[in-house]
Amino acid sequence: CYGAVGSVSDLVMVNSSWTLGHIRFLWRLASRIFVVFPPCDTKSLEHLPLKGREDVIISIGQFRPEKDHQLQLRSFAEMLSQNKDLKRRRVKLVLIGSCRGDDDTSRVSELRKLAKDLDIEESVEFVLNQPYPVLKSWLSRASIGIHTMWNEHFGIGVVEMQAAGLITIAHNSGGPKADIIVPLAGGGETGYLAATVNDYANAMETTLRHGSDSKENMGIRRNGRESSKRFSDEVFAREFKEAMVASGILK
């Protein structure tokens, strides 16, 4: 039934290159498929300072199972266990997100317990159900942004972290791998991809060891912000219109 719907569609828009491959496989008879990236409010974040960032790592996302916050805690604990100087620097991991109900609230309680079991309780903070200005404040302060969801179709939160100037470490799968954490056209890294505890721990350690305002980190911050402009509201509006016209559906 799902495939049949695709086979009779006049126009299909997907939100990433990864989703494009997925839909092409499922809807083998689909006619015209266009990649139109979701609109991200990058402009409101581009003015945030790149320099002077604190030793803070943030993640942004609802406390759902697929977001894999446990991987974030375990990776952070691994980094601190291997780098005592970072622990002395009081590096902090801040998990920012909303709870949709009792299940999510229970999940946060489990995460707090895990942080305690990993002996990182004093270095982890949970910021729950807060308004956007609070999120934006953390985006202006933090040095690193971390994303751990496997095969996320796109990843608006990843783009927002790039636009805000964070060194972004995203899961090596789905939309972040295919479209977001990719080198600039002329070369230049825009962030890191990771999949395992060691991958994330190493990427965080490398960023923090270089120092917030180091040449290496400032280059990635600038590149990430420049790359994020590909997903702005203005680009979305233009590409949506172009897809509508190119499909012939308006004739």
Side-chain angles (χ1 to χ4, degrees):
C1 180
Y2 187 59
V5 170
S7 69
V8 298
S9 298
D10 295 311
L11 169 63
V12 177
M13 297 186 197
V14 295
N15 65 354
S16 71
S17 301
W18 186 85
T19 308
L20 173 65
H22 185 64
I23 291 299
R24 276 181 172 165
F25 176 77
L26 292 175
W27 293 358
R28 297 175 187 272
L29 300 178
S31 52
R32 305 294 301 278
I33 306 178
F34 296 85
V35 176
V36 179
F37 297 121
C40 302
D41 182 17
T42 58
K43 272 193 173 180
S44 69
L45 300 170
E46 291 173 0
H47 72 281
L48 298 180
L50 295 179
K51 289 188 175 183
R53 295 301 183 109
E54 301 174 22
D55 285 342
V56 173
I57 302 160
I58 66 171
S59 77
I60 303 170
Q62 291 179 330
F63 287 94
R64 308 198 311 258
E66 63 269 26
K67 295 298 184 180
D68 203 354
H69 290 92
Q70 288 194 10
L71 177 55
Q72 298 174 14
L73 293 174
R74 296 186 188 281
S75 301
F76 184 67
E78 174 66 18
M79 180 195 70
L80 291 183
S81 72
Q82 299 298 323
N83 299 274
K84 301 301 182 184
D85 62 318
L86 293 180
K87 196 164 188 175
R88 287 192 293 270
R89 280 167 55 179
R90 298 184 180 277
V91 176
K92 178 184 287 190
L93 172 64
V94 181
L95 280 62
I96 305 169
S98 60
C99 294
R100 300 164 298 172
D102 291 342
D103 287 346
D104 288 358
T105 301
S106 297
R107 195 166 296 112
V108 171
S109 296
E110 293 170 2
L111 292 170
R112 291 186 192 274
K113 182 179 182 302
L114 177 59
K116 185 174 182 179
D117 293 342
L118 293 170
D119 195 27
I120 57 173
E121 184 180 19
E122 297 300 317
S123 301
V124 175
E125 181 174 344
F126 291 84
V127 178
L128 308 176
N129 302 319
Q130 293 298 305
Y132 182 70
V134 174
L135 167 61
K136 195 170 181 180
S137 175
W138 282 109
L139 285 168
S140 72
R141 295 167 53 191
S143 185
I144 298 172
I146 186 172
H147 159 277
T148 48
M149 181 175 171
W150 174 72
N151 271 353
E152 183 158 20
H153 282 263
F154 183 64
I156 290 177
V158 178
V159 173
E160 290 176 336
M161 290 189 287
Q162 283 187 320
L166 281 69
I167 304 290
T168 306
I169 307 168
H171 199 281
N172 191 19
S173 65
K177 177 183 180 180
D179 297 309
I180 303 175
I181 308 294
V182 296
L184 292 179
E189 297 302 314
T190 59
Y192 295 97
L193 292 169
T196 66
V197 166
N198 285 335
D199 289 344
Y200 282 101
N202 291 337
M204 289 187 287
E205 190 272 338
T206 296
T207 300
L208 292 166
R209 177 168 42 81
H210 282 160
S212 176
D213 296 344
S214 67
K215 179 180 178 181
E216 295 89 347
N217 283 345
M218 289 302 294
I220 295 175
R221 294 188 199 284
R222 293 190 187 98
N223 292 343
R225 177 168 285 178
E226 183 63 31
S227 179
S228 73
K229 295 177 182 178
R230 297 177 294 130
F231 311 113
S232 68
D233 292 333
E234 293 77 13
V235 172
F236 168 79
R238 184 182 71 240
E239 293 187 347
F240 183 90
K241 292 175 184 177
E242 289 175 353
M244 293 287 287
V245 171
S247 71
I249 198 171
L250 299 177
K251 293 181 180 178

